[in-house]
Amino acid sequence: MTDQPPNGLPRYRLLTGPDDAKFCHRVSEALDLGYHLHGSPAATFDGAQVIVAQALLWRGEQG
């Protein structure tokens, strides 16, 4: 693992979206790349569906 994320991705990412399988897959893909969860997920209801957010950090070889 390197000290920089792959494909020019930023070291910090905040993924957001509806609380569904697609969102879970996006978080899982980021974890597979080497990102680590940062803090707890956040959730809100927009009147129609639950919207979630999860922060991720790239720790590289320091992780």
Side-chain angles (χ1 to χ4, degrees):
M1 188 175 303
T2 67
D3 62 344
Q4 294 296 315
N7 304 322
L9 292 168
R11 295 176 62 83
Y12 172 83
R13 296 176 69 187
L14 179 65
L15 300 182
T16 62
D19 186 16
D20 59 12
K22 182 178 176 183
F23 178 81
C24 293
H25 285 289
R26 290 174 56 213
V27 173
S28 295
E29 289 169 2
L31 295 173
D32 289 345
L33 285 174
Y35 282 88
H36 297 268
L37 299 177
H38 181 69
S40 298
T44 190
F45 183 68
D46 70 0
Q49 60 188 344
V50 175
I51 304 296
V52 290
Q54 177 63 60
L56 300 133
L57 284 178
W58 180 265
R59 293 187 186 159
E61 294 180 9
Q62 302 168 18

